[in-house]
Amino acid sequence: MWITIAAAQIPVLAVLLALGMAAKIRTVTNNSEPGGMSGLGPAVLVAEKWRAPAMLGCAAGEAFLLGGLMLTGHPFFRWGAVAFFAVSAYVLWELRRRRPDAGCGCFGDVSSIPVGARSLARTVVLTAMAAGTVWVGPAPGWSVLAGISWIEGLAMAGGLLLVAALSPEIEEAAARIRYRVPCEQRRMDPETALNRLRASAAWQAHMRFLASPDPVDSWRELCWRFFAYPGRGPEGNRLEVVFAVHLIGRRPAVRVALVDAEGRPVAVEPVTVGHSRPEPVSARSQPRSGRMLTRARHAARHNSALYGSLASPLESRIEG
């Protein structure tokens, strides 16, 4: 019975190793702020330039043990898992003693809360689970899953529930899901905002004023991404065409302002297509392209009103 229960913990250890490996790699690849890993796990104990390599090295060790436990039944990987979790328990104890404000980093930036008794107890439990697998026969983890019995299934579920009960990261992840980051703090690739701009009706309505398809300047103000283009007016006068793309939503709002060399708004005529006036149609029966042109004409007629929403950031850029 005890051998059966111990064998059922091999997949549990594999799940924890896989989650820890993926979370650490994600944390390193998404870390864009200097010192962003300064409060996570083993990165705390090394110099700043070695923090990312230390995190990736830990992830590589987890991947090595994961493959060995699931693909082979060699004792080397069983003892390796025991040593890994035992060393992890020691590191967490040192973190709690030397840096009580630091998180364990066991699951990347999700494990950013200070190391507590639950995190320590979880590592001790995982060490005991790994030690129990040493006396299991030379059966790889995949064979345990392939021929799982109801006793092994209950033992596996019990092990997962015990580890979950000792994991403060679950509450942290749930809090992150409930909490929506304000739009002014969300990350948005400028290239994504540029693609949304070029797919908008405002872009189609003002392409004729652009002297170049590439922006000469781009900046962000809270929930808006601005793109400034060199332009030419109907009389050949130099303009600056500034688009503002809202960063939230599948179909974000796009605003546009045309300003002269002195930063004053320039009024332009609405976009006209063809020489004949089309018959009026309802909004539902109008084709999608026609509805886009109608919105473009409406936007062009209200450039002066739209300029009001762009005036403050534009003036600050022009003065700078």
Side-chain angles (χ1 to χ4, degrees), residues 17 19 75 101 264 276:
L17 290 171
L19 291 176
D101 60 317
R264 295 174 299 189
S276 60

Side-chain angles (χ1 to χ4, degrees), residues 23 26-27 30 40 105 107-113 172 176:
R26 177 183 174 277
T27 298
N30 290 351
L40 296 178
F107 298 97
D109 56 2
V110 181
S111 303
S112 58
I113 59 177
E172 179 72 12
R176 291 190 181 192

Side-chain angles (χ1 to χ4, degrees), residues 15-291:
V15 169
L16 270 294
L17 290 171
L19 291 176
M21 173 195 66
K24 290 180 179 67
I25 294 174
R26 177 183 174 277
T27 298
V28 172
T29 55
N30 290 351
N31 182 60
S32 58
E33 299 180 4
M37 290 184 292
S38 59
L40 296 178
V44 176
L45 305 177
V46 298
E48 183 175 352
K49 67 177 181 178
W50 296 108
R51 285 170 182 167
M55 190 76 74
L56 290 176
C58 189
E62 288 171 327
F64 178 72
L65 291 175
L66 171 63
L69 289 176
M70 293 303 295
L71 299 178
T72 74
H74 200 282
F76 173 81
F77 295 100
R78 308 277 176 85
W79 283 109
V82 175
F84 176 81
F85 289 115
V87 171
S88 298
Y90 172 75
V91 171
L92 293 187
W93 177 264
E94 284 294 307
L95 280 176
R96 193 179 184 189
R97 184 174 63 87
R98 294 168 54 181
R99 285 288 304 272
D101 60 317
C104 73
C106 307
F107 298 97
D109 56 2
V110 181
S111 303
S112 58
I113 59 177
V115 176
R118 291 171 67 190
S119 299
L120 274 171
R122 178 183 61 196
T123 312
V124 173
V125 168
L126 291 174
T127 304
M129 287 181 178
T133 63
V134 173
W135 286 273
V136 177
W142 67 265
S143 66
V144 175
L145 289 175
I148 190 169
S149 63
W150 68 270
I151 297 178
E152 290 174 329
L154 289 176
M156 193 182 306
L160 289 173
L161 288 174
L162 178 59
V163 172
L166 296 173
S167 298
E169 290 84 359
I170 294 179
E171 290 90 339
E172 179 72 12
R176 291 190 181 192
I177 293 173
R178 290 194 302 267
Y179 171 72
R180 291 181 61 85
V181 178
C183 68
E184 60 268 19
Q185 297 179 8
R186 297 185 192 180
R187 297 179 182 177
M188 171 64 74
D189 184 10
E191 199 66 30
T192 302
L194 185 59
N195 292 335
R196 292 180 175 182
L197 167 63
R198 290 174 176 169
S200 67
W203 173 268
Q204 300 296 327
H206 294 83
M207 281 182 60
R208 60 192 176 111
F209 300 111
L210 301 183
S212 170
D214 299 318
V216 295
D217 196 6
S218 176
W219 68 96
R220 177 171 176 170
E221 297 281 351
L222 300 178
C223 299
W224 296 84
R225 166 66 65 174
F226 291 80
F227 298 95
Y229 290 82
R232 293 284 180 184
E235 290 125 18
N237 53 316
R238 294 182 62 182
L239 298 175
E240 188 174 38
V241 185
V242 182
F243 296 94
V245 183
H246 200 261
L247 301 180
I248 303 302
R250 297 181 60 184
R251 296 182 179 178
V254 178
R255 302 287 183 262
V256 61
L258 278 71
V259 296
D260 58 18
E262 297 180 1
R264 295 174 299 189
V266 177
V268 296
E269 292 296 324
V271 175
T272 56
V273 181
H275 300 286
S276 60
R277 187 174 181 179
E279 293 294 328
V281 293
S282 66
R284 291 190 177 182
S285 61
Q286 190 177 6
R288 186 173 184 272
S289 59
R291 293 198 302 271

